[in-house]
Amino acid sequence: MQVTIVGSGYVGLVSGACLADVGNHVLCMDVDPDKIDNLKSGKIPIYEPGLEELITTNSSEGRLNFTTDLDEAVAFGEAIFIAVGTPPDEDGAADLQHVLAVARGIGDTLAEYRVIINKSTVPVGTAAKVRSEIQSRLDVRGVQVEFSVVSNPEFLKEGAAIEDFLKPDRIVIGTDDDQPRELMRELYAPFNRSHDRLLFMDLLSAELTKYAANAMLATKISFMNELANIAERVGADIETVRVGIGSDPRIGYHFIYPGCGYGGSCFPKDVQALARTAETTGYEPKLLNAVEAVNHAQKLSLVEKVISRFGEDLTGYHFAVWGLAFKPNTDDMRDAPSSVMIRELCGHGATICAFDPVAIDEARDLLADVQGVTFGSDPYNVIEGADALLLVTEWKAFRSPDLSRIHDGLRTPVVFDGRNVFDPEMVRKQGLDYYSIGRRPMLMD
């Protein structure tokens, strides 16, 4: 099949590369000429394990190509995916300007039947807006061309997106029209062999499913962080509580790890957008608002512990930070807890030296306006002379560190573990004061 992907960002590149890898001919389009030139020369704008190899292989074998020409892209694909960004606007609602601009562009050049597939995360009712924009342009042109609009939300986890696309839990297809069903079945057949993962539903339900999934996961995280804050205050250990509740199959162990808050391009944006959608109907989404409020506060949890230990005025104090990306196996810094913490600590007068395996360049750009932030190329180098170590992102490389080396490198032997990665007793045995999430501090006598 010939497939067009409009938008060559995270979702577009992963989708395009995976569809090409099973034999489709894919054309990825983007309005950014530098991005397209880089992709043509093999430079990938994002970090995602396995993506660079997938793009390189399929590009060299002629199944994956790139363009800035929307007319060419519309003419090329039997299926046209819209995979452009929907950033939050000032009130948290999803900004559809890029999605609707693509729809108008499609309407300006559409010449024969196409299936238009919304892959971007969009509010309920967006498919109708896309259809209206395309049809209005066809009317201006005075032509009659049939087309279908389908909702096909993505459920890709950053850091495991290739695996998620190739071996999906479910493939949600929203359509109020029978005509595109066969094309969608054919397109996803290679990913649907062991059992039928296709879930056909109406357009509005498909659009809501995406937001509902992310809001549910974000709710579990904020709920667990709320419990962690309670546990810490009553003297309980949230990690044993986690095991106690996770063993109940109705709850399970997924997404009940306490920490210093969630970030990324999905959970914060989607929870806010769903809340704004609810408000437009006159319904107050109390739980969704609470989920976001808990998460916002949780991003400051380590800062509060640092201030409790060292005082409000952190002038003259220097801290090491391990982990900058919002989660492991990505360089994504969008809404990352590390950014909030670093800004707050520097605002109190501290200086920071930070390390991350892949996100340093992104972090350097994001924090360019913050005085007192430097970056190191080695996790142990950033510790030298620091008053404490803050672990913010749970990269595998941080799970079994040389604790004696940490002790010897720090000026003050203190560790703040924002992901409960370290074993408290092992840390204490190395002569380090240890603060974590949802557990009492382990302090040296």
Side-chain angles (χ1 to χ4, degrees), residues 184-240:
M184 297 303 290
R185 282 193 180 277
E186 179 184 346
L187 182 64
Y188 280 111
F191 315 103
N192 200 39
R193 295 186 59 147
S194 62
H195 63 276
D196 192 1
R197 297 178 176 88
L198 286 171
L199 301 176
F200 283 100
M201 58 186 73
D202 63 272
L203 280 164
L204 297 177
S205 297
E207 290 171 335
L208 182 56
T209 296
K210 168 62 177 179
Y211 277 128
N214 280 351
M216 173 63 80
L217 296 174
T219 298
K220 292 184 74 174
I221 295 170
S222 280
F223 177 77
M224 204 62 194
N225 284 332
E226 185 98 304
L227 282 183
N229 294 333
I230 295 170
E232 198 170 311
R233 285 158 176 79
V234 301
D237 183 339
I238 194 60
E239 290 300 326
T240 57

Side-chain angles (χ1 to χ4, degrees), residues 115 117 150 152 173 180-188:
V115 177
I117 305 164
V150 168
N152 175 216
I173 309 291
R181 284 178 178 248
E182 277 310 305
L183 181 142
M184 297 303 290
R185 282 193 180 277
E186 179 184 346
L187 182 64
Y188 280 111

Side-chain angles (χ1 to χ4, degrees), residues 348-366:
H348 283 266
T351 57
I352 303 290
C353 189
F355 170 80
D356 188 281
V358 300
I360 287 177
D361 288 343
E362 292 292 325
R364 184 177 282 112
D365 290 341
L366 183 66

Side-chain angles (χ1 to χ4, degrees), residues 38-54:
N38 285 334
L39 286 166
K40 286 179 177 179
S41 63
K43 297 177 183 176
I44 313 304
I46 58 174
Y47 176 80
E48 176 64 33
L51 182 59
E52 183 173 356
E53 295 85 350
L54 212 57

Side-chain angles (χ1 to χ4, degrees), residues 9-54:
Y10 185 85
V11 172
L13 287 177
V14 171
S15 301
C18 290
L19 288 168
D21 202 51
V22 296
N24 296 293
H25 290 270
V26 178
L27 181 63
C28 289
M29 179 267 166
D30 200 280
V31 295
D32 184 344
D34 291 336
K35 179 188 290 185
I36 293 301
D37 287 343
N38 285 334
L39 286 166
K40 286 179 177 179
S41 63
K43 297 177 183 176
I44 313 304
I46 58 174
Y47 176 80
E48 176 64 33
L51 182 59
E52 183 173 356
E53 295 85 350
L54 212 57

Side-chain angles (χ1 to χ4, degrees), residues 10 86 88 154 158 263-270 326 332 334-335:
Y10 185 85
T86 53
E154 53 86 12
E158 291 194 44
S265 63
C266 295
F267 288 3
K269 173 175 71 71
D270 293 353
F326 86 93
D332 196 340
R334 286 173 287 185
D335 276 311

